[in-house]
Amino acid sequence: MIESPNLSENKEKTLRELLEQYTRYWYLFALGVTIAIVAAFIYLRYSTPLYLSKATVIVKDEKSGGGPAELAAFSDYGGFFSKFNNSNIENELAIFKSKRIVTEVIRELNFNITYESIGTIKTSDIYDYRPFTVQFLSFKDNDENRAVPKLFFELISETEYEITNENDAIKGTYSFGNPVELPFGVITVVPELENLEKFNSYKGKTISVSYRPLEAVAISYQNRINVANEIRNSNVVTLTMQSPVREKAEDFINELIFQYNKDAINDRNQVAQKTSNFIDSRLEIITEELDSVERNKEQFKSKNRLTNIEAEAQLILENSSEFNKRQLDIGTQLELANSMINYMENASEDDLLPANIGIESEEIANTVSSYNQLVLERNRLLKNSTMKNPVVVNLNNQIEQMRSGVRSSLQNISNSLKISMRDLNYQESVLNSKISKVPTQEKLYRGIERQQSIKEQLYLFLLQQREEASISLAVTAPKAKIVDNAYSGKTPVSPNKMLIYLGALIAGLLVPFLLIYLSYLLNSKVSNRLDVERVLGSTPILGEIPKLKRGDEELIQHNDRSILAEAFRILRTNLQYLTINKGDSIRKSNVIFVTSTIKGEGKTFVAFNLALTLALTGKKVVLVGGDIRNPQLHRYLPDQSKSQQGLTEFIIDESLSATSLATPSNYNKNLSIILSGVIPPNPAELLLQDRTKEFFDELNENFDFVIVDTAPSMLVTDTILINKFADKLLYVVRAGYTDRRLLEFPKDAIEDGRLSDVAIVLNNVNMNNFGYGNKYGYTYSEEQQPWYKRIFRS
């Protein structure tokens, strides 16, 4: 589809208008950007920069080779060194950020006591060097978590200082090192005099000291520290923190790693200590049983006077050596199983189970290890929660089920071993029948020796396990291996200068844009000629009258070179081109009606100045007050009375002539004025009289131009009734006053034929929207305005 040239031109004008409605307010954008950049500069100048501190650690996992090399020799035994193999990295991240660990860090570093230097505009933290240290010795009611008012210190000398608070409730001078009793408790202040130069630099400055409860500070740091597993499927943990004081953040992160390792070592030692205690108790029992067996052996030999019974049955015993070995192993396993069952029956649910004490069942060893891990996890959670915590309840259920499973498995193993031992005893009776010739004492002696051997093996095994437990307690290898200690970047991460300035630039442009956009969006008034052309495109616009400033003359003066005078001269010229000919006959005079949609749009102002402009050409002009309902011409004629005879009297009194009513004007000798006269009770009917036509015909014969100030067209019907007497109808639209929706009325009236020969005059046009002289720099006046008015004129 090919667009018509007119359509393309309209689109071009619409786009130009869209751009001009913003570019004409360029000074608002410049001002907005300037204010925003200055505000950003002030913000950056006095804001506290934040630096990023970072540390990297590896959470050790023995399964992946992260365990200590010195413990590799004990890996075959499992036991104490296998319980950490299933470490969950997510759980470890939670431990790093736990309030319990963070609170210990705050307590160790005394971060709940803050020292700040009070400046003129902003306050800065003192950390690297403090001229003194405040020690809070005691609190009233022994409550360390109570709120303490901020204290302000001022150094007087190396021996004295002054204390105040915000409301001066605390004020006094004290000596360093002496206890000071304050309303909340007792403090002492210790000076740092190792560097006198730095100490003296704080003289005359105010230093504030704040004491906050540990819990509140811990929660604050807990929210600020970030612990993450950045490398997927690895045990690498990164700890980051933003802080205005780099050294303070580094110390916090390093201490957090230390406290985490300390907590992990304590957890590991709990299991080792429980196992060690269990082994010691079993050693006492086995020692007593071994002594009893050895005494029985000694008494048996003495009583039966035996020396070397084994030699007599050497041949048979050689054949039964394998049987004895099996019987010995089963007896050992049965004893271990029964011992473990007795321990579980006497131990509470909070106790850890001894891990890998020698029972050959791998399933039981793995189950016991998992059980201990769950108990440790539950005990760790209970430090920060209660038994009603859903996670704790879930862990208790798992622990109970696993404990029941371990007990059931041990019982099954014990029953199985008893059956095996019963079978072996039966086989032993068969073997004994084969050695019936061996003395009865040999049978008893063999039983005693078998018990002695079992007890000896169990005793040696427990000694070995106790040694392993002692080594585990002695080894304090940290769980978190430090890859990089805490370090800080030299460049602050916040505030981001480039981002702040970019945001300020965007805001400086966006705010004026939004204000202008909203002003146009909410403005329903006519602003410029394009608003009129959109609705009344086929109706010509003869001229644009500029908006007057306060104090400007409303009427054109003699030899006037103002922009108002030039605007009416342009209107006069355009009007003359339209009113020279009308139809086929040449008119001697031109009758020009001036009307508007509603009152207040400046039709009287336009009519009067148009009449003056035409009179300046030497033509005889008469200005008629055609609005007989609400006459306004008298506003410009202070010397003439509103009751002076005029149009109304002419229509009523047939003896009057139109020329007799014309009064010469004081403004110009070529201008005469006829007022509207008294206000009649029936103005519409009065204007329908034949005398109205006679009035205009008589004026046509005697004047070159007849300018008629008529009534508003939409409010009353008067103008429409007499419109037929006009050669041209000037329809006044006032910018900034006339609602754009009201333009539909003249459009409909023109299309319906109620108004004819209509031309638009746009009144009260802002200088930004006015004409072409202002845009292209043509000077209407010799007056030179100040530079700021030329830049910001509106």
Side-chain angles (χ1 to χ4, degrees), residues 581-685:
N581 295 316
K582 182 178 181 182
D584 297 329
S585 62
I586 300 177
R587 299 289 302 268
K588 177 183 178 183
S589 174
N590 293 286
V591 180
I592 301 171
F593 282 12
V594 181
T595 187
S596 62
T597 306
I598 57 176
K599 63 175 298 185
E601 293 181 288
K603 58 182 180 57
T604 304
F605 165 77
V606 172
F608 209 120
N609 281 290
L610 177 60
L612 284 173
T613 307
L614 291 170
L616 289 173
T617 62
K619 300 292 184 179
K620 292 182 63 179
V621 181
V622 61
L623 176 61
V624 179
D627 186 358
I628 60 176
R629 294 176 185 263
N630 185 22
Q632 296 294 322
L633 278 182
H634 63 276
R635 291 192 297 113
Y636 302 103
L637 303 170
D639 297 333
Q640 298 184 25
S641 173
K642 291 176 62 176
S643 61
Q644 183 176 341
Q645 288 185 336
L647 175 60
T648 303
E649 285 76 10
F650 177 86
I651 297 174
I652 296 173
D653 188 356
E654 295 183 357
S655 64
L656 293 176
S657 65
T659 54
S660 66
L661 297 175
T663 303
S665 170
N666 296 328
Y667 293 100
N668 192 293
K669 64 180 181 179
N670 296 322
L671 175 64
S672 299
I673 298 175
I674 300 176
L675 297 179
S676 58
V678 296
I679 300 175
N682 54 345
E685 288 76 10

Side-chain angles (χ1 to χ4, degrees), residues 20-35:
E20 286 181 351
Q21 73 181 16
Y22 295 103
T23 55
R24 69 167 58 110
Y25 297 106
W26 62 269
Y27 54 89
L28 293 180
F29 291 97
L31 183 62
V33 170
T34 303
I35 293 174

Side-chain angles (χ1 to χ4, degrees), residues 54 56 59 75 158 182 239 269 280 309 311 352 372 401 445 470-471 528 561 584 617 663 666 669 713 744 790 792:
K54 180 178 181 180
T56 306
V59 178
S75 59
E158 287 80 1
L182 298 175
L239 297 90
N269 288 344
D280 289 340
I309 301 176
L352 300 169
N372 287 338
Q401 293 176 4
Y445 185 75
S470 299
I471 293 174
N528 50 45
R561 296 182 60 190
D584 297 329
T617 62
T663 303
N666 296 328
K669 64 180 181 179
S713 300
E744 295 294 332
R790 294 198 303 271
F792 296 107

Side-chain angles (χ1 to χ4, degrees), residues 107-204:
R107 180 180 287 108
E108 288 294 326
L109 298 177
N110 289 325
F111 276 6
N112 60 320
I113 304 175
T114 305
Y115 299 79
E116 296 176 319
S117 177
I118 308 298
T120 305
I121 296 178
K122 73 175 186 176
T123 300
S124 56
D125 201 338
I126 302 175
Y127 185 76
D128 188 23
Y129 172 80
R130 295 168 180 166
F132 56 84
T133 301
V134 179
Q135 298 175 354
F136 291 80
L137 302 179
S138 63
F139 295 88
K140 288 189 176 180
D141 304 327
N142 295 322
D143 184 8
E144 296 184 0
N145 290 322
R146 63 177 297 171
V148 175
K150 182 181 289 188
L151 301 176
F152 298 96
F153 293 79
E154 186 171 340
L155 303 179
I156 298 177
S157 64
E158 287 80 1
T159 58
E160 290 185 333
Y161 61 92
E162 184 182 86
I163 301 179
T164 58
N165 67 345
E166 293 179 346
N167 54 8
D168 290 336
I170 300 173
K171 189 171 184 180
T173 302
Y174 305 94
S175 299
F176 285 112
N178 295 334
V180 179
E181 187 171 351
L182 298 175
F184 60 84
V186 180
I187 67 168
T188 184
V189 182
V190 180
E192 299 291 339
L193 300 176
E194 294 181 359
N195 192 331
L196 282 176
E197 184 178 353
K198 287 187 176 181
F199 180 88
N200 292 328
S201 67
Y202 282 95
K203 289 183 178 179

Side-chain angles (χ1 to χ4, degrees), residues 52-56 239 246 250 253-254 484-489:
L52 180 66
S53 301
K54 180 178 181 180
T56 306
L239 297 90
R246 289 174 288 186
E250 292 170 4
I253 294 175
N254 290 331
D484 289 318
N485 283 313
Y487 64 94
S488 303

